[in-house]
Amino acid sequence: MFGFGRKPGANAVTARGEIVRVDFGAKSNFTVRVLVMPDDTASFEADIKVRLRGTAAPMIGEETWVRYAPGRIDFDRDRIKDRSYDRVRTNPGLQNVVDTLYRHGDPPVSVIATAR
């Protein structure tokens, strides 16, 4: 287990993940445990600390993307944003949700959370 939202750097690996636990802290602070599923190595769990408003709160079972390097991990928000807009193409009603989250500085940490 490692993580806590430390930026992984330029040589980080991008991998798909699934949120397996969410601990709610004070003042919109969350510790999110993610099951990271790299293509070329065994799956592992890591904790990432984030600060979000309730509109973008992560939920157990949601798909996400992470970037990691030895001892460091964070959400790959660019990849999540791209996937969010992929879902908007198939469901145009989500456009307002996605745009509102990004406009107000609440980038989601999962793809499914954006699609609610």
Side-chain angles (χ1 to χ4, degrees):
M1 186 85 63
F2 66 90
F4 297 105
R6 294 170 42 192
K7 303 295 180 202
N11 296 325
V13 175
T14 298
R16 190 173 67 80
E18 181 179 316
I19 296 173
V20 295
R21 182 179 172 143
V22 178
D23 292 322
F24 300 94
K27 296 187 180 181
S28 303
N29 293 317
F30 298 89
T31 300
V32 181
R33 180 168 294 166
V34 178
L35 174 63
V36 180
M37 298 173 272
D39 291 335
D40 56 349
T41 59
S43 298
F44 61 92
E45 290 186 0
D47 287 342
I48 304 173
K49 289 190 178 184
V50 293
R51 181 178 173 108
L52 298 169
R53 290 186 298 206
T55 57
M59 293 180 63
I60 295 170
E62 293 179 330
E63 176 186 39
T64 193
W65 291 90
V66 296
R67 295 183 71 241
Y68 68 93
R72 298 174 180 264
I73 190 166
D74 199 7
F75 289 103
D76 187 344
R77 292 173 192 255
D78 291 334
R79 181 80 180 255
I80 293 167
K81 184 176 183 179
D82 290 344
R83 288 283 289 131
S84 299
Y85 280 108
D86 285 347
R87 288 178 182 246
V88 166
R89 281 198 293 274
T90 60
N91 184 352
L94 298 176
Q95 182 75 44
N96 289 340
V97 174
V98 174
D99 287 345
T100 299
L101 288 171
Y102 282 95
R103 184 170 37 255
H104 294 290
D106 254 355
V109 296
S110 67
V111 175
I112 296 172
T114 306
R116 278 191 235 141

